[in-house]
mmCIF file of all heavy atoms in Angstrom:
data_model
loop_
_atom_site.group_PDB
_atom_site.id
_atom_site.type_symbol
_atom_site.label_atom_id
_atom_site.label_comp_id
_atom_site.label_asym_id
_atom_site.label_seq_id
_atom_site.Cartn_x
_atom_site.Cartn_y
_atom_site.Cartn_z
ATOM 1 N N LEU B 1436 130.368 112.946 114.028
ATOM 2 C CA LEU B 1436 131.523 113.106 114.920
ATOM 3 C C LEU B 1436 131.502 112.058 116.036
ATOM 4 O O LEU B 1436 132.538 111.476 116.385
ATOM 5 C CB LEU B 1436 131.525 114.516 115.528
ATOM 6 C CG LEU B 1436 131.837 115.663 114.575
ATOM 7 C CD1 LEU B 1436 131.658 117.018 115.283
ATOM 8 C CD2 LEU B 1436 133.270 115.545 114.050
ATOM 9 N N ASN B 1437 130.286 111.801 116.566
ATOM 10 C CA ASN B 1437 130.172 110.818 117.647
ATOM 11 C C ASN B 1437 130.513 109.409 117.161
ATOM 12 O O ASN B 1437 131.253 108.669 117.819
ATOM 13 C CB ASN B 1437 128.760 110.842 118.238
ATOM 14 C CG ASN B 1437 128.498 112.084 119.079
ATOM 15 O OD1 ASN B 1437 129.430 112.690 119.628
ATOM 16 N ND2 ASN B 1437 127.245 112.493 119.173
ATOM 17 N N VAL B 1438 129.976 109.034 115.992
ATOM 18 C CA VAL B 1438 130.248 107.689 115.452
ATOM 19 C C VAL B 1438 131.755 107.526 115.215
ATOM 20 O O VAL B 1438 132.364 106.545 115.627
ATOM 21 C CB VAL B 1438 129.462 107.449 114.140
ATOM 22 C CG1 VAL B 1438 129.936 106.176 113.435
ATOM 23 C CG2 VAL B 1438 127.964 107.356 114.435
ATOM 24 N N GLN B 1439 132.361 108.538 114.594
ATOM 25 C CA GLN B 1439 133.800 108.479 114.289
ATOM 26 C C GLN B 1439 134.622 108.373 115.575
ATOM 27 O O GLN B 1439 135.517 107.531 115.693
ATOM 28 C CB GLN B 1439 134.214 109.711 113.495
ATOM 29 C CG GLN B 1439 135.657 109.669 113.018
ATOM 30 C CD GLN B 1439 135.994 110.907 112.219
ATOM 31 O OE1 GLN B 1439 136.015 112.032 112.763
ATOM 32 N NE2 GLN B 1439 136.237 110.742 110.923
ATOM 33 N N ARG B 1440 134.271 109.216 116.564
ATOM 34 C CA ARG B 1440 135.044 109.227 117.826
ATOM 35 C C ARG B 1440 134.957 107.859 118.520
ATOM 36 O O ARG B 1440 135.978 107.291 118.936
ATOM 37 C CB ARG B 1440 134.504 110.333 118.750
ATOM 38 C CG ARG B 1440 135.355 110.538 120.009
ATOM 39 C CD ARG B 1440 134.708 111.512 120.971
ATOM 40 N NE ARG B 1440 133.590 110.895 121.692
ATOM 41 C CZ ARG B 1440 132.316 111.190 121.509
ATOM 42 N NH1 ARG B 1440 131.963 112.080 120.595
ATOM 43 N NH2 ARG B 1440 131.366 110.595 122.212
ATOM 44 N N ILE B 1441 133.737 107.326 118.637
ATOM 45 C CA ILE B 1441 133.559 106.055 119.359
ATOM 46 C C ILE B 1441 134.194 104.910 118.569
ATOM 47 O O ILE B 1441 134.837 104.019 119.139
ATOM 48 C CB ILE B 1441 132.063 105.802 119.636
ATOM 49 C CG1 ILE B 1441 131.502 106.923 120.527
ATOM 50 C CG2 ILE B 1441 131.847 104.441 120.289
ATOM 51 C CD1 ILE B 1441 129.984 106.964 120.598
ATOM 52 N N ARG B 1442 134.049 104.944 117.234
ATOM 53 C CA ARG B 1442 134.680 103.916 116.388
ATOM 54 C C ARG B 1442 136.205 103.899 116.635
ATOM 55 O O ARG B 1442 136.811 102.857 116.847
ATOM 56 C CB ARG B 1442 134.399 104.203 114.922
ATOM 57 C CG ARG B 1442 135.170 103.277 113.967
ATOM 58 C CD ARG B 1442 134.815 103.493 112.511
ATOM 59 N NE ARG B 1442 135.149 104.812 112.003
ATOM 60 C CZ ARG B 1442 136.369 105.223 111.642
ATOM 61 N NH1 ARG B 1442 137.405 104.405 111.797
ATOM 62 N NH2 ARG B 1442 136.564 106.440 111.149
ATOM 63 N N ARG B 1443 136.793 105.082 116.640
ATOM 64 C CA ARG B 1443 138.254 105.179 116.838
ATOM 65 C C ARG B 1443 138.646 104.743 118.234
ATOM 66 O O ARG B 1443 139.700 104.124 118.425
ATOM 67 C CB ARG B 1443 138.735 106.599 116.524
ATOM 68 C CG ARG B 1443 138.715 106.905 115.024
ATOM 69 C CD ARG B 1443 139.134 108.340 114.727
ATOM 70 N NE ARG B 1443 139.273 108.539 113.286
ATOM 71 C CZ ARG B 1443 139.384 109.753 112.724
ATOM 72 N NH1 ARG B 1443 139.381 110.849 113.487
ATOM 73 N NH2 ARG B 1443 139.500 109.876 111.405
ATOM 74 N N THR B 1444 137.791 105.040 119.213
ATOM 75 C CA THR B 1444 138.048 104.575 120.590
ATOM 76 C C THR B 1444 138.125 103.043 120.610
ATOM 77 O O THR B 1444 138.919 102.464 121.353
ATOM 78 C CB THR B 1444 136.897 105.053 121.515
ATOM 79 O OG1 THR B 1444 136.760 106.465 121.379
ATOM 80 C CG2 THR B 1444 137.152 104.675 122.956
ATOM 81 N N ARG B 1445 137.295 102.410 119.771
ATOM 82 C CA ARG B 1445 137.314 100.937 119.681
ATOM 83 C C ARG B 1445 138.528 100.461 118.865
ATOM 84 O O ARG B 1445 138.816 99.274 118.825
ATOM 85 C CB ARG B 1445 136.050 100.433 118.970
ATOM 86 C CG ARG B 1445 134.719 100.769 119.612
ATOM 87 C CD ARG B 1445 134.370 99.794 120.746
ATOM 88 N NE ARG B 1445 133.141 100.193 121.434
ATOM 89 C CZ ARG B 1445 133.082 101.164 122.360
ATOM 90 N NH1 ARG B 1445 134.157 101.847 122.681
ATOM 91 N NH2 ARG B 1445 131.947 101.467 122.943
ATOM 92 N N GLY B 1446 139.195 101.420 118.187
ATOM 93 C CA GLY B 1446 140.325 101.031 117.339
ATOM 94 C C GLY B 1446 139.870 100.351 116.053
ATOM 95 O O GLY B 1446 140.597 99.573 115.433
ATOM 96 N N TRP B 1447 138.643 100.648 115.631
ATOM 97 C CA TRP B 1447 138.071 100.021 114.438
ATOM 98 C C TRP B 1447 138.246 100.913 113.204
ATOM 99 O O TRP B 1447 138.180 102.150 113.317
ATOM 100 C CB TRP B 1447 136.561 99.791 114.609
ATOM 101 C CG TRP B 1447 136.200 98.683 115.547
ATOM 102 C CD1 TRP B 1447 137.038 97.827 116.218
ATOM 103 C CD2 TRP B 1447 134.861 98.317 115.933
ATOM 104 N NE1 TRP B 1447 136.310 96.954 116.994
ATOM 105 C CE2 TRP B 1447 134.973 97.226 116.843
ATOM 106 C CE3 TRP B 1447 133.592 98.779 115.608
ATOM 107 C CZ2 TRP B 1447 133.867 96.613 117.415
ATOM 108 C CZ3 TRP B 1447 132.484 98.185 116.185
ATOM 109 C CH2 TRP B 1447 132.623 97.103 117.076
ATOM 110 N N SER B 1448 138.397 100.262 112.059
ATOM 111 C CA SER B 1448 138.334 100.975 110.779
ATOM 112 C C SER B 1448 136.848 101.097 110.397
ATOM 113 O O SER B 1448 135.976 100.458 111.009
ATOM 114 C CB SER B 1448 139.050 100.135 109.713
ATOM 115 O OG SER B 1448 138.315 98.913 109.527
ATOM 116 N N GLN B 1449 136.568 101.880 109.364
ATOM 117 C CA GLN B 1449 135.178 101.982 108.884
ATOM 118 C C GLN B 1449 134.729 100.607 108.366
ATOM 119 O O GLN B 1449 133.568 100.225 108.537
ATOM 120 C CB GLN B 1449 135.077 103.034 107.778
ATOM 121 C CG GLN B 1449 135.177 104.447 108.307
ATOM 122 C CD GLN B 1449 135.020 105.492 107.209
ATOM 123 O OE1 GLN B 1449 135.128 105.182 106.015
ATOM 124 N NE2 GLN B 1449 134.771 106.735 107.593
ATOM 125 N N GLU B 1450 135.668 99.853 107.788
ATOM 126 C CA GLU B 1450 135.313 98.502 107.297
ATOM 127 C C GLU B 1450 134.838 97.624 108.458
ATOM 128 O O GLU B 1450 133.863 96.895 108.349
ATOM 129 C CB GLU B 1450 136.522 97.819 106.647
ATOM 130 C CG GLU B 1450 136.830 98.239 105.225
ATOM 131 C CD GLU B 1450 137.578 99.586 105.179
ATOM 132 O OE1 GLU B 1450 137.898 100.136 106.263
ATOM 133 O OE2 GLU B 1450 137.805 100.085 104.067
ATOM 134 N N GLU B 1451 135.551 97.714 109.583
ATOM 135 C CA GLU B 1451 135.181 96.870 110.727
ATOM 136 C C GLU B 1451 133.814 97.264 111.270
ATOM 137 O O GLU B 1451 132.987 96.421 111.604
ATOM 138 C CB GLU B 1451 136.268 96.946 111.809
ATOM 139 C CG GLU B 1451 137.499 96.112 111.451
ATOM 140 C CD GLU B 1451 138.726 96.452 112.288
ATOM 141 O OE1 GLU B 1451 139.018 97.656 112.479
ATOM 142 O OE2 GLU B 1451 139.403 95.504 112.756
ATOM 143 N N LEU B 1452 133.573 98.584 111.350
ATOM 144 C CA LEU B 1452 132.246 99.022 111.812
ATOM 145 C C LEU B 1452 131.175 98.592 110.813
ATOM 146 O O LEU B 1452 130.075 98.181 111.192
ATOM 147 C CB LEU B 1452 132.209 100.543 112.013
ATOM 148 C CG LEU B 1452 130.861 101.137 112.433
ATOM 149 C CD1 LEU B 1452 130.310 100.432 113.681
ATOM 150 C CD2 LEU B 1452 130.984 102.636 112.684
ATOM 151 N N ALA B 1453 131.509 98.642 109.531
ATOM 152 C CA ALA B 1453 130.549 98.197 108.498
ATOM 153 C C ALA B 1453 130.216 96.722 108.711
ATOM 154 O O ALA B 1453 129.050 96.326 108.721
ATOM 155 C CB ALA B 1453 131.166 98.399 107.109
ATOM 156 N N PHE B 1454 131.225 95.937 108.957
ATOM 157 C CA PHE B 1454 131.014 94.488 109.167
ATOM 158 C C PHE B 1454 130.164 94.252 110.413
ATOM 159 O O PHE B 1454 129.188 93.508 110.395
ATOM 160 C CB PHE B 1454 132.368 93.778 109.310
ATOM 161 C CG PHE B 1454 132.239 92.306 109.629
ATOM 162 C CD1 PHE B 1454 131.866 91.415 108.632
ATOM 163 C CD2 PHE B 1454 132.423 91.837 110.929
ATOM 164 C CE1 PHE B 1454 131.703 90.059 108.921
ATOM 165 C CE2 PHE B 1454 132.263 90.485 111.226
ATOM 166 C CZ PHE B 1454 131.904 89.596 110.219
ATOM 167 N N GLU B 1455 130.509 94.946 111.506
ATOM 168 C CA GLU B 1455 129.807 94.742 112.783
ATOM 169 C C GLU B 1455 128.350 95.211 112.719
ATOM 170 O O GLU B 1455 127.472 94.652 113.373
ATOM 171 C CB GLU B 1455 130.526 95.505 113.908
ATOM 172 C CG GLU B 1455 131.914 94.972 114.250
ATOM 173 C CD GLU B 1455 131.869 93.581 114.881
ATOM 174 O OE1 GLU B 1455 130.815 93.217 115.473
ATOM 175 O OE2 GLU B 1455 132.863 92.832 114.745
ATOM 176 N N SER B 1456 128.108 96.273 111.938
ATOM 177 C CA SER B 1456 126.758 96.873 111.930
ATOM 178 C C SER B 1456 125.883 96.352 110.796
ATOM 179 O O SER B 1456 124.682 96.563 110.774
ATOM 180 C CB SER B 1456 126.880 98.392 111.800
ATOM 181 O OG SER B 1456 127.490 98.735 110.556
ATOM 182 N N GLY B 1457 126.547 95.723 109.818
ATOM 183 C CA GLY B 1457 125.770 95.247 108.674
ATOM 184 C C GLY B 1457 125.467 96.345 107.669
ATOM 185 O O GLY B 1457 124.678 96.172 106.742
ATOM 186 N N LEU B 1458 126.089 97.512 107.875
ATOM 187 C CA LEU B 1458 125.884 98.635 106.942
ATOM 188 C C LEU B 1458 127.055 98.696 105.962
ATOM 189 O O LEU B 1458 128.127 98.149 106.223
ATOM 190 C CB LEU B 1458 125.791 99.947 107.734
ATOM 191 C CG LEU B 1458 124.649 100.030 108.754
ATOM 192 C CD1 LEU B 1458 124.833 101.219 109.681
ATOM 193 C CD2 LEU B 1458 123.293 100.093 108.047
#
Side-chain angles (χ1 to χ4, degrees):
Chain B
L1436 290 174
N1437 287 334
V1438 169
Q1439 186 179 66
R1440 187 187 76 250
I1441 298 166
R1442 173 176 63 78
R1443 288 177 172 167
T1444 306
R1445 300 278 175 281
W1447 287 357
S1448 65
Q1449 286 182 344
E1450 280 79 3
E1451 283 164 315
L1452 177 53
F1454 176 75
E1455 293 293 336
S1456 63
L1458 300 167

